[in-house]
Amino acid sequence: MILNASLPPGKATNAAAVMALTLGQRHPSLVGEALEDASAHPCPGLIPVGIPVLAATSEQLSLLRENGEQAGCDMVLFPEEGQSTTDYQAL
């Protein structure tokens, strides 16, 4: 996951969460099996692999998007407009 380095912490966290939910929806096999803790309390399945979270400048993000599109990568993008609204239907 690569986030815009200029985002304040709250917006960066929100962007990561939104992209993670979309990634889980697109690739449900990434969601692990439900777990049980030592006290036998159920826990939802967690992703069994690490997700590196990196930061990049706007220019670097543009280049990464271009290269990802050319390579046919499955990308989850969260545009600036989505980060500045609470009413996605209005976009």
Side-chain angles (χ1 to χ4, degrees), residues 66-88:
E66 182 180 312
N67 290 341
E69 287 173 347
Q70 289 176 2
C73 293
D74 179 20
M75 296 184 291
V76 176
L77 306 174
F78 190 37
E80 189 173 332
E81 295 80 11
Q83 297 173 41
S84 62
T85 186
T86 57
D87 183 2
Y88 293 110

Side-chain angles (χ1 to χ4, degrees), residues 31-47:
V31 179
E33 296 295 319
L35 306 170
E36 197 172 87
D37 68 15
S39 300
H41 291 101
C43 300
L46 301 174
I47 189 167

